Amino acid sequence: MNDADDLRALAGTDPAAQLRAAVALLLGSVGDTDEETVVATPHGGLLIEQFLAMALVEPVVHGWDLAAIGMYAPAVAVPATADAQQPLLGLLGRRD
């Protein structure tokens, strides 16, 4: 997604409800993990529901921010001898 209208359409008329539904879907997919499970993060311990909400929101918000300020450029080729980081940087249009 790279357009504010696309994001608004995805969020619908009740973005909070959409987020809760996505978190519920993710919680259902982690099997026997209960809602009181605490996940260790760099921000300290978070309940799994909080962690999953953050995991859903952070990439969208930060990706949108970065795209809006033009941090991504067209992909560039990387040499066959590239290290593990260079292909990712090449996909983002970064050059050495």
Side-chain angles (χ1 to χ4, degrees):
M1 296 198 163
N2 57 9
D3 184 283
D5 291 332
D6 290 340
L7 290 171
R8 284 187 201 92
L10 180 63
T13 58
D14 189 350
Q18 292 289 83
L19 178 60
R20 284 191 297 275
V23 168
L25 181 64
L26 283 171
L27 282 172
S29 71
V30 293
D32 295 332
T33 305
D34 73 37
E35 294 178 4
E36 298 302 314
T37 298
V38 175
V39 178
T41 76
H43 306 289
L46 295 175
L47 291 174
I48 192 162
E49 183 175 6
Q50 295 168 317
F51 173 75
L52 292 174
M54 186 174 68
L56 284 168
V57 171
E58 291 293 320
V60 172
V61 172
H62 291 300
W64 189 8
D65 290 342
L66 293 172
I69 62 170
M71 287 199 68
Y72 298 132
V76 296
V78 296
T81 57
D83 64 24
Q85 184 180 19
Q86 287 175 315
L88 173 60
L89 296 175
L91 287 173
L92 299 175
R94 302 283 177 90
R95 300 180 188 275
D96 288 337

